[in-house]
Amino acid sequence: MGFERTFSIIKPDATRRNLTGKINAKFEEAGLRIVAQKRIHMTKEQAGKFYEVHSERPFYDELCDFMSSEPVIVQVLEGESAISKNREVMGATNPADAAPGTIRADFAESMGENSVHGSDAPETAAIEIAYFFSGIELVG
């Protein structure tokens, strides 16, 4: 895949439990570099716009409520095959299916409160990064 950037969110369940440093350590140990990061408290409207792709799904309102319930860490990660590497480090969406040592296996509280979000493709990463960061904030 080559060198690329991806988008990541450390979700409210993880920030509430002060897991930001432990989660970032897993990214860095996997060879990903954090090139932009900020702590924000999304409004329900911001969460709704970000997760608009899921607006017809039954979990959409609950997801927007959860993502706006407490602060999150939004960040940009870069490295070799960053998108697939990030998804590997995160683990399966359902923590019961996540490989040992992954973020979700170690920290997720449930399938909905699974500690992290990551882009699934280069196109998605570009859209998600642009939603939260201007180009001047990406310091590689």
Side-chain angles (χ1 to χ4, degrees):
M1 281 306 244
F3 190 81
E4 60 190 7
R5 286 182 170 162
T6 191
F7 178 74
S8 169
I9 300 177
I10 301 177
K11 294 181 177 182
D13 61 295
T15 61
R16 174 176 31 85
R17 294 178 289 144
N18 285 330
L19 296 174
T20 302
K22 290 179 181 179
I23 290 171
N24 282 341
K26 286 187 178 281
F27 293 139
E28 291 176 335
E29 288 164 8
L32 296 168
R33 185 173 179 200
I34 301 166
V35 297
Q37 181 182 68
K38 55 187 165 185
R39 183 179 182 94
I40 64 170
H41 196 148
M42 276 193 270
T43 65
K44 187 169 180 181
E45 292 74 28
Q46 288 168 325
K49 180 73 174 157
F50 181 77
Y51 285 107
E52 190 171 52
V53 67
H54 298 302
S55 63
E56 300 301 316
R57 313 236 2 226
F59 60 82
Y60 175 73
D61 285 332
E62 184 179 343
L63 174 62
C64 294
D65 286 340
F66 169 60
M67 292 302 292
S68 61
S69 67
E70 296 189 47
V72 298
I73 305 297
V74 293
Q75 55 192 5
V76 180
L77 309 173
E78 75 176 13
E80 192 70 32
S81 302
I83 295 168
S84 61
K85 183 162 287 191
N86 179 37
R87 296 187 70 74
E88 179 183 319
V89 172
M90 288 190 308
T93 302
N94 183 343
D97 299 331
T102 62
I103 292 168
R104 289 177 173 148
D106 289 353
F107 304 124
E109 295 183 313
S110 67
M111 192 155 151
E113 295 187 7
N114 60 17
S115 299
V116 285
H117 162 90
S119 301
D120 60 0
E123 301 78 18
T124 310
I127 292 166
E128 293 179 343
I129 290 168
Y131 188 78
F132 290 102
F133 295 95
S134 69
I136 197 168
E137 294 176 291
L138 305 176
V139 182

